[in-house]
Amino acid sequence: MKIDNFFAELKRRKVFKVGAAYLIVAWLAVQAASIGFPAFDAPPWALRIFILIALLGFPIAVVMAWVFDITREGVKLDSQTSGSKGLFGVAALLIVLALGWYFYGQPSFRKGDVTTPAVADRNSIAVLPFANMSGKADQDYFSDGMTEELLNVLAKVPQLKVVARTSVFEFKGKGGDVREIGRKLGVSNIVEGSVRRDREQVRVTAQLVRVADGFHIWSETYDRKLESVFALQDEIARRIGAALKLSLGVSAPVAARAPIDPEAYDEYLKGRALMRQRGDLPSAIAHLKAAVAKAPEFAAGWSSLSLTYEVSFWYTTHMTPALAAEFLSGQAAAAERAAALEPDAATTEHALGNVARAQFHYADAERHYLRAMQIDPSYSDVREDYSEVLYEVGRLEDSMRAGRQLVTLDPYFGIGWNRILRTAMALDRRAEVEEAVRQLRAISPDNFISKLGLLDYLVAYRRADEARAELGEIEARWPKDAVFAQTLLPWALGEPGIDQGRLRAAIADAPPGEAAGYFIARQDIDGLNAYIETLGAIPQQYYFIDLYGSRPAGHAMLRDPRVKAMIVGYGFPAYWREKGWPSGCRPLGETDFECD
């Protein structure tokens, strides 16, 4: 059939009229459903299925209009078949596209998309980063601080499921439909707003939005002095709680906090912002020191200072024993001060746990982390360290479970995916290693862990050909990050002719602790021990697991008396005797042990 005749036939059989009428009615029905379904608390998938049915109905209606003809005698089958194959083919294509839209929209079908809950809890809420309306980019730390503090206050409400900080800040400055953001975060309610600061005056606009239909449940504007910023945050939390109580039955009892010196609060927010960015950590420490100097009773300032000392280990190049000792001393002193002021705060328990780990008291660290998680179940940072301590002592399946719980709570938290990566490496689960690398490259593409994670895995198991191929890919994509490995990999694989000067430079230039895997692959026990001793207590916590998670090289080294002496010195057998031994390790009397 010629194309002109085909369109004439479509017109004769009223296919155009039926199609247009169907689209209008279907559009009106979908609009009504998008309003009506949320009103009756229908789950989010119900609307998607309704839309799918509407989409599938269109090609069916068109085919029915082509096949049947409405006459005065009633509906009759049209006997003419010319052109039917083409129309049926188009209808089939439309059905495939509709099904593709539906299934591709499911989180499990979107490759590279961070996993999100399929159905949002009615009592779930996210606080999106407040917009900085001050007209100065350098005031972002203040609006970000307002967001984080409000999030922390709401997290103390037992009935609320509050999305963790890292995930909500993934959407900072990106705009977008609040309903789509809510779907990605897996929440039913969103708080958004703006902050305008003019010296000591602060104006905050906040609003509570229902994700299902974008309806504004509550909105208000506040003008306050900076010195009463805590009272302002508490008041906003109470108003949100009151609004939620009307719709969900959730109440938000918020304890009043003492006023804080405005300058101290400013220094605190600046320090927290730099610590979160993992950027200029010496300046972060300086700002937090200034905050607690101006407000010595500010417990959150002390715990944040302690936590900043701890992360500084990993972001300080050319760590020296003297600097490591300085960090440890500052970390412990700040944590003790926080414990004296606010012993029941999650951040205090977190800081105390980190100090215990740095002193190789792993069982004490575990108890502090569990206590912090009990105080604030939504506090994701401590869950990362909890998963990490389980990994360090060889409780790999427990560590993996904790890591999975962490990324479920905070799916955009890159360090959480690092926990899954490292544990999967130790368990030799390649699929999970590759999954974690994909997630890390999507969330933190500039982080060296996301670039080198698969190479570390291949080196740990001495898979030489695959390691060389992976290094080649890293050289092509991130040449600066591959420089140290270009020397360390052939050396670890026993290739001859390695220049010793270049080798020493490569070890020094590797990210903190990164060279340990290459020493193990080469089975250089004396070199490994000397290297680890220069790094300080934080990387030393990985001594056992780096060996335990490397086969066969690391496992063979575990039998060496020099290695066993280091394991004892770093406190691992003391933990095992209290909590249980990792697979393959066992006590030999009261003082000795073996791992095979």
Side-chain angles (χ1 to χ4, degrees), residues 46-160:
L47 182 58
R48 290 184 60 81
I49 290 178
F50 185 88
I51 295 173
L52 174 64
I53 293 171
L55 289 173
L56 292 174
F58 176 71
I60 294 172
V62 168
V63 168
M64 295 289 286
W66 176 269
V67 172
F68 294 99
D69 190 14
I70 300 175
T71 68
R72 292 178 180 179
E73 292 79 20
V75 177
K76 294 184 178 181
L77 181 67
D78 197 314
S79 59
Q80 184 173 338
T81 59
S82 180
S84 295
K85 289 184 179 179
L87 183 72
F88 292 163
V90 172
L93 177 62
L94 290 175
I95 290 173
V96 170
L97 290 175
L99 292 171
W101 165 83
Y102 176 78
F103 286 110
Y104 189 78
Q106 305 304 314
S108 59
F109 281 79
R110 290 193 301 273
K111 294 183 179 180
D113 193 15
V114 177
T115 304
T116 55
V119 179
D121 191 307
R122 292 180 68 245
N123 290 1
S124 57
I125 192 167
V127 183
L128 295 184
F130 277 37
N132 171 22
M133 304 298 290
S134 302
K136 301 176 182 177
D138 60 1
Q139 289 291 310
D140 268 7
Y141 75 90
F142 188 83
S143 54
D144 289 350
M146 175 66 72
T147 305
E148 187 171 354
E149 289 294 311
L150 181 56
L151 187 154
N152 291 339
V153 174
L154 288 172
K156 292 180 172 65
V157 180
Q159 303 99 318
L160 278 182

Side-chain angles (χ1 to χ4, degrees), residues 309-552:
Y309 273 121
E310 198 271 342
V311 300
S312 295
F313 280 93
W314 298 110
Y315 296 88
T316 301
T317 55
H318 307 297
M319 176 65 67
T320 65
L323 189 56
E326 179 186 333
F327 283 173
L328 282 175
S329 175
Q331 177 187 352
E336 290 169 8
R337 190 78 176 97
L341 293 168
E342 196 174 6
D344 294 328
T347 52
T348 298
E349 289 287 350
H350 184 189
L352 291 171
N354 284 351
V355 171
R357 271 175 69 198
Q359 297 169 347
F360 309 134
H361 299 155
Y362 305 107
D364 289 340
E366 184 182 341
R367 283 187 279 270
H368 283 299
Y369 295 151
L370 288 170
R371 171 66 177 144
M373 290 158 58
Q374 182 183 34
I375 294 170
D376 184 355
S378 69
Y379 179 36
S380 60
D381 290 11
V382 73
R383 289 178 177 271
E384 186 270 327
D385 281 316
Y386 174 63
S387 175
E388 188 171 32
V389 75
L390 296 175
Y391 165 76
E392 290 168 351
V393 299
R395 289 173 54 187
L396 297 178
E397 294 293 353
D398 291 337
S399 176
M400 180 62 80
R401 277 191 290 272
R404 289 291 180 185
Q405 290 168 358
L406 170 58
V407 297
T408 299
L409 173 69
D410 198 352
Y412 291 92
F413 189 26
I415 299 175
W417 284 105
N418 181 45
R419 292 270 48 82
I420 290 175
L421 168 65
R422 297 300 179 185
T423 307
M425 285 171 55
L427 290 165
D428 194 12
R429 295 178 182 170
R430 181 158 191 154
E432 289 183 272
V433 168
E434 293 176 345
E435 174 200 15
V437 168
R438 284 195 304 272
Q439 296 285 9
L440 281 165
R441 289 180 180 178
I443 296 168
S444 306
D446 295 328
N447 191 300
F448 80 90
I449 297 169
S450 69
K451 301 171 185 176
L452 303 176
L454 186 55
L455 177 62
D456 289 346
Y457 169 65
L458 298 170
V459 169
Y461 292 89
R462 220 170 186 276
R463 293 167 184 164
D465 292 340
E466 290 183 88
R468 292 188 186 98
E470 179 64 16
L471 177 58
E473 183 177 337
I474 295 170
E475 288 172 337
R477 297 179 67 179
W478 309 289
K480 292 182 179 178
D481 296 284
V483 172
F484 80 94
Q486 290 169 342
T487 300
L488 286 186
L489 182 60
W491 171 75
L493 297 177
E495 296 179 12
I498 304 299
D499 181 81
Q500 292 301 304
R502 288 182 59 192
L503 177 61
R504 287 191 293 271
I507 293 169
D509 291 340
E514 186 71 14
Y518 295 88
F519 278 106
I520 294 170
R522 192 175 172 86
Q523 293 191 291
D524 183 351
I525 292 175
D526 291 333
L528 172 67
N529 289 351
Y531 171 69
I532 290 295
E533 283 291 284
T534 66
L535 296 177
I538 301 299
Q540 287 165 4
Q541 299 162 22
Y542 287 84
Y543 184 81
F544 168 74
I545 194 59
D546 283 345
L547 293 158
Y548 190 65
S550 173
R551 295 189 287 274

Side-chain angles (χ1 to χ4, degrees), residues 205-208 216-222 239:
T205 298
Q207 52 196 18
L208 177 65
H216 286 62
I217 301 171
W218 162 85
S219 178
E220 193 137 352
T221 299
Y222 302 86
R239 293 301 303 274

